Amino acid sequence: MRKPVIAGNWKMYKLLSEAVETALALKPLVANANHCEVVIAPVFVQIKTIADRLEGSNINVAAQDCAPVEKQSANTGEVSAEMLKDVGCSHIIIGHSERRQFYAESDNAVNQKTKSCLTSGLKAIVCVGEMLAEREAGKAEEVVKTQVVNGLAGLTTADMERIIIAYEPVWAIGTGKTATPEQAQEMHAFIRQVLTETHGKVVADSTRILYGGSVKPENIKELMNQEDVDGALVGGASLDANSFAQIVNYK
Ligand code: 13P
């Protein structure tokens, strides 16, 4: 019913030659992965090259961010969703915790970027997740609910068809500490309940919710076995073609 999404977020790790090498190595390794939507997210300046090299393959190319405004305008340093589409992007990761933490990205900015992404016809992978202190204070659900409600504010039922949510607990990102499959399931079910309140049951039941945070070939299967886990947003383990392919081919 919900087609899984396995997305690799390459963050700011690869030079162009390395990105091309990984993308080309990945291509044959995931060529038969019809069970899921495969996505990789290189940095802005590599998108066109990677998208061209992957043309005709089943690998989708995502950006890691986009501008909050759509219009071609005076916005030095920004890249619009339409420009990303123009160079071969199909998805945009929005509101990653590194952007929220290091670049003070607010829920309001996430909402504007998400709307921009949708207006341009692309799919948005909207990231949410609590910090360790928030989880320890028993506030994880409250924090995630606020991010979901505010990040997706004003979106219609039709808009929601192109929304993918990624739950990435900040304490599990790049730390080797994965949320247990039970912790992931619990939060994913909670997010689906929030979506039921904001957009109704049909939308909630059809929205893909990915887990992110130290996903590896060793733990993907158990995570995917959880009822409400519909895929993964992978950082470190997506940098190597073989390890990412193992995650894609988890079945
Ligand atoms: P790691 O898989 O390296 O923990 O990163 C997760 C992440 O931030 C993906 O967006």
Side-chain angles (χ1 to χ4, degrees), residues 2 128 141 144 165-169 179 181-195 204 207-212 223 226-232:
R2 295 187 294 264
V128 298
E141 289 192 346
V144 169
I165 295 177
Y167 168 58
E168 300 204 309
E182 294 74 25
Q183 280 173 321
Q185 168 56 27
E186 199 179 5
M187 188 60 89
H188 284 223
F190 174 74
I191 292 170
R192 215 175 290 290
Q193 182 193 316
V194 171
L195 290 176
T207 303
R208 275 92 53 93
I209 306 176
L210 319 184
Y211 170 78
L223 287 161
Q226 305 302 311
E227 190 182 337
D228 289 294
V229 175
D230 308 313

Short mmCIF file of all heavy atoms in Angstrom, two decimals, residues 2 128 141 144 165-169 179 181-195 204 207-212 223 226-232:
data_model
loop_
_atom_site.label_atom_id
_atom_site.label_comp_id
_atom_site.label_asym_id
_atom_site.label_seq_id
_atom_site.Cartn_x
_atom_site.Cartn_y
_atom_site.Cartn_z
N ARG A 2 1.78 1.35 0.98
CA ARG A 2 2.71 2.48 0.98
C ARG A 2 4.03 1.98 0.42
O ARG A 2 4.69 1.15 1.05
CB ARG A 2 2.92 3.00 2.42
CG ARG A 2 1.68 3.60 3.05
CD ARG A 2 2.00 4.24 4.39
NE ARG A 2 2.41 3.31 5.41
CZ ARG A 2 1.60 2.78 6.32
NH1 ARG A 2 0.33 3.10 6.35
NH2 ARG A 2 2.07 1.93 7.22
N VAL A 128 11.74 15.56 10.77
CA VAL A 128 11.38 15.95 12.13
C VAL A 128 12.17 15.06 13.09
O VAL A 128 12.67 14.02 12.69
CB VAL A 128 9.86 15.78 12.39
CG1 VAL A 128 9.04 16.67 11.47
CG2 VAL A 128 9.42 14.33 12.23
N GLU A 141 7.44 13.50 22.00
CA GLU A 141 6.21 13.54 21.19
C GLU A 141 5.73 14.96 20.96
O GLU A 141 5.31 15.32 19.86
CB GLU A 141 5.11 12.70 21.85
CG GLU A 141 5.41 11.21 21.76
CD GLU A 141 4.24 10.32 22.13
OE1 GLU A 141 3.24 10.84 22.71
OE2 GLU A 141 4.31 9.11 21.85
N VAL A 144 7.98 16.63 18.33
CA VAL A 144 7.75 16.10 16.98
C VAL A 144 6.38 16.54 16.46
O VAL A 144 6.24 16.93 15.29
CB VAL A 144 7.91 14.55 16.97
CG1 VAL A 144 7.42 13.95 15.67
CG2 VAL A 144 9.37 14.18 17.21
N ILE A 165 7.52 11.96 5.18
CA ILE A 165 8.05 12.45 6.45
C ILE A 165 9.24 11.58 6.84
O ILE A 165 9.22 10.36 6.63
CB ILE A 165 6.96 12.43 7.54
CG1 ILE A 165 5.86 13.42 7.16
CG2 ILE A 165 7.54 12.76 8.91
CD1 ILE A 165 4.68 13.44 8.11
N ALA A 166 10.30 12.21 7.36
CA ALA A 166 11.42 11.42 7.88
C ALA A 166 11.55 11.73 9.36
O ALA A 166 11.79 12.89 9.73
CB ALA A 166 12.71 11.76 7.14
N TYR A 167 11.39 10.69 10.18
CA TYR A 167 11.61 10.86 11.62
C TYR A 167 13.07 10.52 11.90
O TYR A 167 13.51 9.38 11.72
CB TYR A 167 10.68 9.93 12.42
CG TYR A 167 11.09 9.87 13.89
CD1 TYR A 167 11.13 11.04 14.65
CD2 TYR A 167 11.45 8.68 14.49
CE1 TYR A 167 11.54 11.01 15.98
CE2 TYR A 167 11.84 8.63 15.83
CZ TYR A 167 11.89 9.80 16.56
OH TYR A 167 12.30 9.77 17.87
N GLU A 168 13.81 11.55 12.32
CA GLU A 168 15.23 11.35 12.63
C GLU A 168 15.51 11.90 14.02
O GLU A 168 15.73 13.11 14.19
CB GLU A 168 16.10 12.10 11.62
CG GLU A 168 15.90 11.66 10.18
CD GLU A 168 17.12 11.97 9.31
OE1 GLU A 168 17.61 13.11 9.31
OE2 GLU A 168 17.59 11.04 8.66
N PRO A 169 15.51 11.01 15.03
CA PRO A 169 15.85 11.49 16.37
C PRO A 169 17.30 12.00 16.35
O PRO A 169 18.20 11.29 15.90
CB PRO A 169 15.70 10.24 17.25
CG PRO A 169 15.69 9.07 16.32
CD PRO A 169 15.27 9.57 14.97
N ALA A 179 17.71 4.28 17.12
CA ALA A 179 16.53 4.07 17.97
C ALA A 179 16.20 2.59 17.83
O ALA A 179 16.44 1.99 16.78
CB ALA A 179 15.37 4.92 17.44
N PRO A 181 13.92 -0.61 17.12
CA PRO A 181 12.77 -0.70 16.22
C PRO A 181 11.48 -0.33 16.95
O PRO A 181 10.60 0.30 16.37
CB PRO A 181 12.78 -2.17 15.80
CG PRO A 181 14.20 -2.60 15.94
CD PRO A 181 14.75 -1.83 17.10
N GLU A 182 11.40 -0.66 18.22
CA GLU A 182 10.19 -0.34 19.00
C GLU A 182 10.06 1.17 19.20
O GLU A 182 8.97 1.72 19.11
CB GLU A 182 10.21 -1.06 20.36
CG GLU A 182 10.13 -2.58 20.28
CD GLU A 182 11.43 -3.25 19.80
OE1 GLU A 182 12.52 -2.64 19.98
OE2 GLU A 182 11.35 -4.35 19.24
N GLN A 183 11.18 1.83 19.49
CA GLN A 183 11.13 3.30 19.67
C GLN A 183 10.72 3.96 18.35
O GLN A 183 9.94 4.91 18.34
CB GLN A 183 12.51 3.84 20.08
CG GLN A 183 12.83 3.66 21.55
CD GLN A 183 14.27 4.05 21.85
OE1 GLN A 183 15.18 3.77 21.06
NE2 GLN A 183 14.49 4.70 22.98
N ALA A 184 11.28 3.47 17.24
CA ALA A 184 10.93 4.03 15.93
C ALA A 184 9.45 3.81 15.68
O ALA A 184 8.72 4.75 15.34
CB ALA A 184 11.78 3.39 14.84
N GLN A 185 8.99 2.58 15.85
CA GLN A 185 7.58 2.26 15.61
C GLN A 185 6.65 3.16 16.44
O GLN A 185 5.65 3.68 15.94
CB GLN A 185 7.32 0.77 15.90
CG GLN A 185 5.85 0.35 15.97
CD GLN A 185 5.05 0.70 14.72
OE1 GLN A 185 5.59 0.79 13.62
NE2 GLN A 185 3.75 0.92 14.89
N GLU A 186 7.01 3.33 17.71
CA GLU A 186 6.17 4.12 18.61
C GLU A 186 6.01 5.56 18.10
O GLU A 186 4.91 6.09 18.03
CB GLU A 186 6.84 4.13 20.00
CG GLU A 186 5.93 4.48 21.11
CD GLU A 186 6.67 4.44 22.46
OE1 GLU A 186 7.90 4.21 22.49
OE2 GLU A 186 6.01 4.65 23.48
N MET A 187 7.13 6.15 17.67
CA MET A 187 7.05 7.54 17.19
C MET A 187 6.37 7.61 15.83
O MET A 187 5.60 8.53 15.56
CB MET A 187 8.44 8.17 17.14
CG MET A 187 8.41 9.65 16.82
SD MET A 187 7.47 10.63 18.05
CE MET A 187 8.76 11.01 19.24
N HIS A 188 6.62 6.62 14.98
CA HIS A 188 5.97 6.63 13.66
C HIS A 188 4.45 6.51 13.80
O HIS A 188 3.70 7.20 13.10
CB HIS A 188 6.52 5.49 12.78
CG HIS A 188 7.88 5.77 12.22
ND1 HIS A 188 8.24 5.50 10.93
CD2 HIS A 188 8.98 6.32 12.79
CE1 HIS A 188 9.50 5.87 10.73
NE2 HIS A 188 9.97 6.37 11.84
N ALA A 189 4.02 5.65 14.72
CA ALA A 189 2.57 5.49 14.94
C ALA A 189 2.00 6.80 15.48
O ALA A 189 0.90 7.22 15.11
CB ALA A 189 2.32 4.35 15.91
N PHE A 190 2.78 7.47 16.33
CA PHE A 190 2.33 8.75 16.89
C PHE A 190 2.21 9.80 15.77
O PHE A 190 1.22 10.54 15.71
CB PHE A 190 3.31 9.22 17.98
CG PHE A 190 3.00 10.59 18.49
CD1 PHE A 190 1.91 10.81 19.33
CD2 PHE A 190 3.78 11.69 18.12
CE1 PHE A 190 1.59 12.09 19.78
CE2 PHE A 190 3.48 12.97 18.56
CZ PHE A 190 2.39 13.16 19.39
N ILE A 191 3.20 9.83 14.88
CA ILE A 191 3.15 10.80 13.77
C ILE A 191 1.92 10.52 12.90
O ILE A 191 1.22 11.43 12.47
CB ILE A 191 4.46 10.74 12.93
CG1 ILE A 191 5.63 11.26 13.77
CG2 ILE A 191 4.32 11.54 11.62
CD1 ILE A 191 7.00 11.04 13.15
N ARG A 192 1.63 9.24 12.67
CA ARG A 192 0.46 8.90 11.86
C ARG A 192 -0.83 9.36 12.56
O ARG A 192 -1.77 9.82 11.91
CB ARG A 192 0.44 7.39 11.56
CG ARG A 192 -0.12 7.09 10.18
CD ARG A 192 -0.06 5.63 9.79
NE ARG A 192 1.26 5.10 9.53
CZ ARG A 192 2.03 5.42 8.47
NH1 ARG A 192 1.59 6.27 7.58
NH2 ARG A 192 3.21 4.88 8.31
N GLN A 193 -0.82 9.28 13.86
CA GLN A 193 -1.98 9.75 14.63
C GLN A 193 -2.12 11.27 14.50
O GLN A 193 -3.23 11.79 14.30
CB GLN A 193 -1.77 9.35 16.09
CG GLN A 193 -2.89 9.70 17.03
CD GLN A 193 -2.41 9.53 18.48
OE1 GLN A 193 -1.75 8.55 18.82
NE2 GLN A 193 -2.72 10.51 19.33
N VAL A 194 -0.98 11.97 14.54
CA VAL A 194 -1.01 13.43 14.36
C VAL A 194 -1.55 13.76 12.95
O VAL A 194 -2.38 14.65 12.79
CB VAL A 194 0.40 14.05 14.56
CG1 VAL A 194 0.43 15.52 14.17
CG2 VAL A 194 0.86 13.86 16.00
N LEU A 195 -1.10 13.01 11.96
CA LEU A 195 -1.57 13.24 10.58
C LEU A 195 -3.07 12.98 10.46
O LEU A 195 -3.76 13.64 9.70
CB LEU A 195 -0.81 12.35 9.59
CG LEU A 195 0.66 12.67 9.35
CD1 LEU A 195 1.28 11.64 8.41
CD2 LEU A 195 0.83 14.07 8.76
N ALA A 204 -3.32 10.06 6.41
CA ALA A 204 -2.42 9.46 7.41
C ALA A 204 -2.00 8.05 7.00
O ALA A 204 -0.83 7.68 7.12
CB ALA A 204 -3.09 9.45 8.78
N THR A 207 0.56 8.23 3.86
CA THR A 207 1.81 9.00 3.91
C THR A 207 2.98 8.11 4.34
O THR A 207 2.89 7.41 5.34
CB THR A 207 1.67 10.18 4.89
OG1 THR A 207 0.56 10.99 4.48
CG2 THR A 207 2.93 11.04 4.92
N ARG A 208 4.06 8.16 3.56
CA ARG A 208 5.24 7.39 3.92
C ARG A 208 6.01 8.08 5.05
O ARG A 208 6.27 9.29 4.96
CB ARG A 208 6.18 7.19 2.72
CG ARG A 208 5.84 6.01 1.80
CD ARG A 208 4.95 6.34 0.66
NE ARG A 208 5.36 7.43 -0.19
CZ ARG A 208 6.10 7.31 -1.33
NH1 ARG A 208 6.54 6.14 -1.70
NH2 ARG A 208 6.37 8.35 -2.08
N ILE A 209 6.36 7.33 6.08
CA ILE A 209 7.14 7.87 7.19
C ILE A 209 8.44 7.06 7.27
O ILE A 209 8.43 5.86 7.52
CB ILE A 209 6.38 7.79 8.53
CG1 ILE A 209 5.00 8.47 8.40
CG2 ILE A 209 7.19 8.45 9.64
CD1 ILE A 209 4.12 8.36 9.65
N LEU A 210 9.57 7.76 7.00
CA LEU A 210 10.87 7.09 6.99
C LEU A 210 11.54 7.25 8.34
O LEU A 210 11.31 8.24 9.04
CB LEU A 210 11.78 7.72 5.92
CG LEU A 210 11.17 8.08 4.57
CD1 LEU A 210 12.26 8.59 3.63
CD2 LEU A 210 10.44 6.89 3.97
N TYR A 211 12.41 6.30 8.66
CA TYR A 211 13.23 6.43 9.87
C TYR A 211 14.65 6.81 9.46
O TYR A 211 15.17 6.27 8.47
CB TYR A 211 13.25 5.12 10.68
CG TYR A 211 14.29 5.22 11.77
CD1 TYR A 211 14.02 5.94 12.93
CD2 TYR A 211 15.57 4.69 11.58
CE1 TYR A 211 15.02 6.12 13.89
CE2 TYR A 211 16.56 4.86 12.53
CZ TYR A 211 16.27 5.58 13.68
OH TYR A 211 17.25 5.78 14.61
N GLY A 212 15.27 7.70 10.21
CA GLY A 212 16.68 8.04 9.95
C GLY A 212 17.46 8.15 11.24
O GLY A 212 16.94 8.64 12.25
N LEU A 223 14.04 -2.71 11.24
CA LEU A 223 13.30 -1.45 11.20
C LEU A 223 12.15 -1.54 10.21
O LEU A 223 11.02 -1.13 10.50
CB LEU A 223 14.24 -0.30 10.80
CG LEU A 223 15.24 0.14 11.88
CD1 LEU A 223 16.40 0.93 11.28
CD2 LEU A 223 14.53 0.98 12.96
N GLN A 226 8.73 -3.05 11.08
CA GLN A 226 7.77 -2.32 11.91
C GLN A 226 6.64 -1.79 11.03
O GLN A 226 6.89 -1.28 9.93
CB GLN A 226 8.45 -1.15 12.63
CG GLN A 226 9.65 -1.55 13.47
CD GLN A 226 9.31 -2.57 14.52
OE1 GLN A 226 8.34 -2.42 15.28
NE2 GLN A 226 10.09 -3.64 14.59
N GLU A 227 5.45 -1.91 11.55
CA GLU A 227 4.25 -1.59 10.77
C GLU A 227 4.26 -0.17 10.17
O GLU A 227 3.85 0.04 9.04
CB GLU A 227 3.04 -1.75 11.70
CG GLU A 227 1.73 -1.69 10.96
CD GLU A 227 0.55 -1.81 11.92
OE1 GLU A 227 0.73 -2.36 13.04
OE2 GLU A 227 -0.53 -1.34 11.53
N ASP A 228 4.71 0.79 10.95
CA ASP A 228 4.62 2.18 10.50
C ASP A 228 5.93 2.74 9.95
O ASP A 228 6.02 3.94 9.70
CB ASP A 228 4.09 3.07 11.63
CG ASP A 228 2.61 2.77 11.88
OD1 ASP A 228 1.81 3.06 10.99
OD2 ASP A 228 2.29 2.21 12.95
N VAL A 229 6.93 1.90 9.78
CA VAL A 229 8.20 2.35 9.19
C VAL A 229 8.15 2.04 7.70
O VAL A 229 8.08 0.89 7.30
CB VAL A 229 9.41 1.67 9.86
CG1 VAL A 229 10.71 2.07 9.16
CG2 VAL A 229 9.48 2.04 11.35
N ASP A 230 8.16 3.10 6.89
CA ASP A 230 7.96 2.94 5.45
C ASP A 230 9.22 3.20 4.64
O ASP A 230 9.15 3.51 3.45
CB ASP A 230 6.86 3.90 4.96
CG ASP A 230 5.59 3.75 5.78
OD1 ASP A 230 5.16 2.61 6.00
OD2 ASP A 230 5.04 4.79 6.21
N GLY A 231 10.36 3.14 5.32
CA GLY A 231 11.60 3.37 4.59
C GLY A 231 12.63 4.02 5.49
O GLY A 231 12.43 4.11 6.71
N ALA A 232 13.73 4.47 4.87
CA ALA A 232 14.83 5.01 5.67
C ALA A 232 15.47 6.19 4.96
O ALA A 232 15.52 6.25 3.74
CB ALA A 232 15.87 3.92 5.91
#
